[in-house]
Amino acid sequence: MAEYDYDLFVIGAGSGGVRGARLAAELGAKVGIAEEYRIGGTCVIRGCVPKKLLVYGSRYGGEIEDARGYGWTCEGVRFAWPTLIHNVRREIDRLNGVYTRTLENAGVDKFLTHATLEDPHSVRLADRDTPISAKYILVATGSHPVMPKVPGAQHLISSNECFHLEALPESIVIIGAGYIGMEFASIFAGLGVAVTVLYRGNQVLRDFDMDLRDGVAEALRDRGVDLRMATNVASIEKEEGCYRVKLKEGGSVAAALVMAATGRAPNTAGLGLQQAGVELGWNGHVVVDEYSKSSVDSIYAVGDVTDRKNLTPVAIREANAFVETVFQGKPAAMDYTFIPTAVFTEPELGTVGYSEEQARERCARIDIYKSSFKPMRATLSGRNEKVLMKLVIDAETDKVLGCHMLGPDAAEIVQMAAVALKLGVTKAQLDSTMALHPSIAEELVTMRHRWEPPVPIKGSDAAA
Ligand code: NDP
């Protein structure tokens, strides 16, 4: 008789968990997986995928406007939120089915219930009496939105609820200016909602390159978003037909909905992790080594629950590396360098590598190349649109350390730039690459003039 019921038991069927379960099963391991919500996880069910569909939906209004300059007559154009959200939900149901079948086809046993760890080799499922034993356990439970602790926080929605809205609000206040705050501000603005963003810091998207941060803020303001910096929420109160957000700085904003986009925290509560001896970090994340192994030899963890780099492709890569390490006997450590990422605002932002500010801290000398221009498309559309392209170079090695872009298809372009950066591309090699004309991306290989910070004009302060 086998020593354990399963070779691998996975808790959480999101991007990381499904990948780990499927790959291990395809290698012949006996695998079980537990999921208490829906198979697919945050990315597929209430994150990246439905969000990107809403992004596409929100862009058509602007594109229809643009089309006029190209000779199209666009009268009687209407938008119906129920159609969009219904179609998004239908696609999510389809993907939920695809993920479910992926597990079934790989021979993974599914348990649609809550699982808790009992000890380093056993898991208890909420809907059965006897625990399940496993040689290895993979914790891939993801993260959840964190709500700010302010009076009236019970009135807040998170991004999760945005996918369940039956009607589009006339106005929304968004608290927080990170990935989710900026993306939803852009989506709602594109769909005609009056958007106010309240951010406690001085500029949106902390930790991104400052030129990108400035560019996103300017673009959102141009599209009518009321972005308020250095603004803190004191309380949220329900009033007749709306919510009133009171500000610590004085004054208030009223809106039909108030959304918190104030970060996410690992899902580790109620999992029995500490009971099984698993060390948790400062915000409850599972502490793991470079092979995703926790402080308990038989328990591994991947994805947001480990709070390393909380992005779907990273969770998937961590799961691949876990399977290689544990089931193929090839220790595979994760490499977190040059991870490209995008913020799907309109225009979108794509970035890989060091920001100018990070590079200045780490390198003796850096060179900056940047270009800001009106894309060709905007010449006839008349849209007030600017593209920003920026390269951060280590002046001593000529290596490209960072590539940043704000503009159409930034995510697609930066994904390809990430290949070059990962391979250690130099500025000279970019310059030797032939441009593809006319395109926006050609700017990456045609930037010849180093950017110099403006020299302050003597006495200019006095003049001002
Ligand atoms: P972020 O950490 O990106 O942003 C959180 C925002 O909320 C920041 O502006 C932060 O301010 C602010 N904030 C945090 N706590 C408070 C508080 N108590 N009161 C007021 N403001 C607060 O988190 P998100 O929720 O936007 O996204 C979570 C994660 O999901 C991202 O970090 C990313 O990993 C992932 N994600 C990725 C996407 C993509 O790849 N396109 C899309 C969406 C999410 P401050 O800057 O001062 O800390």
Side-chain angles (χ1 to χ4, degrees), residues 16 19 302 312-322 334-335 422:
R19 176 58 64 95
V302 294
T312 299
V314 176
I316 290 172
R317 191 62 73 82
E318 286 167 352
N320 289 349
F322 155 73
M334 276 294 294
D335 174 2
K422 185 84 186 158

Side-chain angles (χ1 to χ4, degrees), residues 59 212 340-345 347-352 387-389 403-418 440-441 444:
R59 286 179 176 166
L212 290 181
T341 182
V343 182
F344 291 99
T345 42
E348 72 191 31
L349 170 168
T351 179
V352 59
V387 174
L388 172 74
M389 295 265 198
C403 173
H404 312 287
M405 175 176 170
L406 183 68
D409 302 319
E412 311 293 338
I413 292 168
V414 167
Q415 171 68 87
M416 293 317 295
I440 286 175
L444 284 179

Side-chain angles (χ1 to χ4, degrees), residues 10-213:
V10 181
I11 306 179
S15 302
V18 168
R19 176 58 64 95
R22 175 174 71 78
L23 289 186
E26 284 172 357
L27 289 168
K30 184 159 191 252
V31 183
I33 192 165
E35 168 58 55
E36 64 182 353
Y37 185 54
R38 294 183 74 187
I39 287 175
T42 299
C43 170
V44 172
I45 306 294
R46 48 193 178 189
C48 322
V49 173
K51 179 277 309 284
K52 185 98 188 254
L53 292 171
L54 293 185
V55 168
Y56 286 131
S58 72
R59 286 179 176 166
Y60 282 104
E63 282 167 17
I64 290 167
E65 281 301 310
D66 290 355
R68 295 179 203 278
Y70 285 87
W72 292 86
T73 306
C74 314
E75 301 310 332
V77 175
R78 297 252 188 293
F79 168 68
W81 169 259
T83 306
L84 173 59
I85 203 67
H86 168 81
N87 289 346
V88 168
R89 286 189 205 139
R90 196 183 51 200
E91 174 59 7
I92 298 320
D93 291 345
R94 189 187 71 80
L95 289 172
N96 173 239
V98 169
Y99 271 67
T100 305
R101 281 192 298 282
T102 296
L103 290 171
E104 287 167 355
N105 293 342
V108 175
D109 292 339
K110 305 184 310 294
F111 301 92
L112 297 179
T113 186
H114 183 71
T116 43
L117 290 166
E118 286 220 325
D119 63 48
H121 292 286
S122 49
V123 173
R124 181 169 289 279
L125 300 178
D127 61 359
R128 63 186 60 205
D129 295 333
T130 42
I132 284 177
S133 65
K135 186 168 183 194
Y136 293 102
I137 294 167
L138 179 65
V139 181
T141 47
S143 61
H144 62 276
V146 177
M147 297 311 214
K149 292 186 178 48
V150 289
Q154 73 275 15
H155 300 308
L156 292 166
I157 63 161
S158 72
S159 55
N160 289 350
E161 287 75 43
C162 288
F163 304 110
H164 298 285
L165 293 176
E166 292 306 330
L168 202 56
E170 276 180 18
S171 54
I172 189 165
V173 166
I174 298 176
I175 307 168
Y179 278 89
I180 295 178
M182 291 296 89
E183 290 183 338
F184 275 92
S186 184
I187 289 168
F188 283 121
L191 297 177
V193 178
V195 182
T196 305
V197 176
L198 307 177
Y199 178 46
R200 62 186 180 182
N202 292 323
Q203 186 53 296
V204 304
L205 292 173
R206 184 162 59 82
D207 296 341
F208 285 78
D209 186 276
M210 194 44 105
D211 282 319
L212 290 181
R213 299 170 67 185

